[in-house]
């Protein structure tokens, strides 16, 4: 098969409520859908997950769109290929720019699955020699807000049967808010994501352990590897890396160095499904627990992530909440609805959603 045309479709989704992390406040999710057309007129779609500003990653929507139209499109067009991996190798000469590559790669996988008449989840499971489940337990990420609002969000998440509740935190002093949430919900399983906002301090490990968390994601800035390894060695609580994992090698190195015990995989940050499957393979040999992170995706990105998170290797529910947790309206149909804490992998071929532009 071969790609004959690459198209970019910018979309903008209004968040129902601002989503606050220690990096930025999101009120609008600007996205780009990459549409590929092949030689027999079939289409594949992938989502560009960069944000509008370079606070979470150095890539932004505007820079990544440029990389795709001016560089990547040419590399993948009019080249015969049998497997997505072959086309992915065509992008190797381009340094970094993983989110841009990921948008193209996930569109290639969608197209490849459609050509086979199979759901993306099935095609990924075959490629990774594993199994997938049609109903995937999912978790919710709760942004930074007041204590009362946080408690209300936890209550709502429990009522909706989310399988994992993750609270964003900003800085050491904000851990007091988490301690108060813990007091209000003594037995609820809670995770915390600091997005690198904590600073090493004498009593930090004790304070964190007292919260009784399932895991703490990204305590320190991403280059603070030694501080993270020291913290992990003092903690009962498992640390999880999200932001420092930009490659399979990063994950394996950090596990072996004892910096953390759990990996949150963002397939778009890795460069998408081709490297994501390599991380699944690394998980098998290294044995670290793996789960699927989120980037406040629109419909196509959510569908891609859900296919990945449906693989048997994912140990915890991913940050893959229902469409209506963030958006009143999504550009892709069908939207994802939560049933008993699970999202259903669409039964159609490819990633299973149809974007409407
Ligand atoms: O750090 O996991 C993160 C959202 C945007 C950028 C980074 C992160 C997040 C989330 C939300 O935590 C995940 C989601 O629900 O998509
Ligand atoms: Mg995170």
């Amino acid at each position: 098969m071969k790609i004959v045309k690459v198209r970019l479709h910018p979309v903008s989704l209004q968040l129902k409520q601002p989503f606050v992390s220690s990096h930025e406040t999101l009120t609008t999710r600007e996205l780009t859908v990459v549409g590929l057309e092949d030689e027999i007129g079939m289409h594949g779609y992938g989502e560009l997950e960069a944000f509008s500003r370079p606070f979470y990653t150095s890539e932004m929507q505007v820079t990544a769109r440029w990389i795709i139209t001016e560089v990547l499109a040419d590399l993948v067009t009019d080249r015969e290929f049998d497997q997505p991996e072959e086309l992915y190798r065509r992008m190797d000469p381009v340094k970094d720019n993983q989110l841009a590559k990921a948008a193209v790669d996930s569109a290639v996988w969608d197209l490849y699955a459609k050509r086979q008449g199979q759901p993306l989840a099935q095609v990924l499971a075959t490629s990774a020699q594993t199994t997938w489940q049609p109903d995937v337990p999912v978790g919710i990420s709760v942004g930074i807000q007041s204590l009362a609002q946080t408690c209300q969000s936890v209550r709502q998440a429990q009522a909706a049967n989310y399988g994992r509740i993750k609270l964003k935190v900003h800085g050491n002093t904000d851990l007091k808010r988490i301690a108060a949430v813990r007091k209000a919900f003594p037995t609820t399983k809670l995770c915390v994501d600091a997005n690198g906002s904590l600073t090493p301090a004498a009593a930090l490990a004790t304070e964190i352990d007292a919260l009784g968390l399932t895991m703490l994601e990204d305590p320190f800035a991403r280059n603070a590897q030694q501080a993270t390894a020291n913290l992990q060695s003092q903690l009962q609580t498992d640390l999880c890396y999200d932001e420092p994992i930009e490659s399979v090698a990063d994950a394996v190195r950090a596990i072996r160095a004892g910096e953390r015990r759990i990996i949150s995989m963002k397939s778009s940050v890795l460069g998408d499904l081709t490297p994501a499957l390599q991380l699944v393979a690394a998980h098998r040999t290294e044995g670290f627990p793996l789960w699927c992170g989120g980037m406040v995706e629109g419909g196509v990105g959510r569908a891609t992530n859900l296919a990945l998170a449906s693989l048997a290797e994912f140990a915890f529910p991913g940050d893959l909440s229902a469409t209506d947790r963030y958006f009143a309206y999504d550009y892709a149909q069908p939207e994802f609805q939560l049933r008993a804490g699970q999202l259903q992998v669409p039964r159609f071929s490819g990633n299973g959603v149809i974007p409407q532009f």
Side-chain angles (χ1 to χ4, degrees), residues 226-249:
Q226 193 53 53
T228 313
N230 291 347
L231 181 64
Q232 180 66 94
S233 71
Q234 296 163 19
L235 281 174
Q236 297 292 318
T237 308
D238 289 339
L239 294 182
C240 170
Y241 264 4
D242 160 20
E243 291 169 55
I245 305 303
E246 295 183 348
S247 70
V248 177

Side-chain angles (χ1 to χ4, degrees), residues 151 153-162 165 185 187-189:
C151 289
S153 296
V154 171
R155 230 170 276 124
Q156 286 168 349
Q158 280 182 317
N161 282 315
Y162 274 107
I165 301 175
F185 300 90
T187 59
T188 303
K189 284 190 190 158

Side-chain angles (χ1 to χ4, degrees), residues 56 166 168 193 195 217-218 242-243 264 266 319:
Y56 187 75
K166 162 172 136 180
K168 294 280 193 184
D193 186 356
N195 286 103
E217 187 174 326
D218 291 338
D242 160 20
E243 291 169 55
S264 159
K266 289 213 171 110
D319 281 345

Side-chain angles (χ1 to χ4, degrees), residues 199-354:
T199 40
L204 186 60
T206 316
E207 195 181 348
I208 292 168
D209 275 340
L211 299 172
L213 305 175
T214 307
M215 72 182 87
L216 170 63
E217 187 174 326
D218 291 338
F220 303 137
R222 72 172 76 188
N223 56 3
Q225 295 171 348
Q226 193 53 53
T228 313
N230 291 347
L231 181 64
Q232 180 66 94
S233 71
Q234 296 163 19
L235 281 174
Q236 297 292 318
T237 308
D238 289 339
L239 294 182
C240 170
Y241 264 4
D242 160 20
E243 291 169 55
I245 305 303
E246 295 183 348
S247 70
V248 177
D250 286 343
V252 172
R253 187 206 56 75
I255 282 290
R256 291 185 181 165
E259 286 163 35
R260 52 87 188 92
R261 303 183 184 130
I262 300 174
I263 293 285
S264 159
M265 177 201 289
K266 289 213 171 110
S267 62
S268 53
V269 174
L270 288 173
D272 229 81
L273 295 169
T274 296
L277 295 183
Q278 291 163 359
L279 188 51
V280 168
H283 145 85
R284 287 211 201 101
T285 50
E286 303 281 328
F288 51 82
L290 197 59
W291 58 277
C292 185
M295 296 272 273
V296 189
E297 290 86 2
V300 167
R302 202 163 294 271
T304 306
N305 260 353
L306 186 60
L308 189 61
S310 77
L311 301 184
E313 278 73 12
F314 288 80
F316 296 96
D319 281 345
L320 257 163
S321 40
T323 304
D324 72 0
R325 178 262 181 276
Y326 288 118
F327 309 116
Y329 155 86
D330 197 310
Y331 68 87
Q333 299 293 324
E335 293 182 359
F336 291 96
Q337 282 169 12
L338 197 69
R339 292 210 182 84
Q342 301 178 327
L343 297 185
Q344 219 173 38
V345 176
R347 259 163 293 180
F348 314 110
S349 67
N351 64 31
V353 296
I354 301 169

Side-chain angles (χ1 to χ4, degrees), residues 81-89 105 108-109 112 123 274:
F81 68 99
D82 291 321
Q83 304 286 328
E85 289 87 346
E86 292 166 42
L87 211 56
Y88 195 77
R89 295 276 76 85
D105 181 62
V108 172
W109 277 94
Y112 174 73
V123 170
T274 296

